[in-house]
Amino acid sequence: MSRSAKNIWILAIVVLLAVAPLIFINAEFGGADGAAEEMIQTIAPHYEPWASPLAEVPGETESMLFALQAAIGAGIIGYVIGLFKGKSEKTKQQ
């Protein structure tokens, strides 16, 4: 099997793994904050938060900051992978 055929198979499997849960699982996808708040209300219904956020940002801004955080993380991971690959190729050439 050629290298490009392997890459196509891997890409197809990744897409399948990403899309299949969205098609076959009928569930509401929520964040950890909402689940934690729901659990706190279950455990201690009279609990009142002792701190409040310093600033309230709109939902779109929260989403943008989350996406920016993910992009920065992906960039760092890509840089480290490229760095190690470059070091590996450099040692092979010597």
Side-chain angles (χ1 to χ4, degrees), residues 6-62:
K6 286 180 184 176
N7 288 339
I8 290 172
W9 274 106
I10 291 172
L11 181 64
I13 290 171
V14 168
V15 169
L16 181 68
L17 288 174
V19 173
L22 298 175
I23 295 172
F24 297 113
I25 298 175
N26 290 329
E28 185 173 322
F29 296 101
D33 293 341
E37 183 178 345
E38 190 175 301
M39 184 59 72
I40 289 170
Q41 290 297 323
T42 303
I43 294 171
H46 301 292
Y47 174 78
E48 289 188 27
W50 54 272
S52 60
L54 297 176
E56 291 283 335
V57 293
E60 294 85 11
T61 306
E62 280 183 0

Side-chain angles (χ1 to χ4, degrees), residues 2 5 13 16 26 51 63 67 71-72 91:
S2 71
I13 290 171
L16 181 68
N26 290 329
S63 297
I72 290 171
T91 56

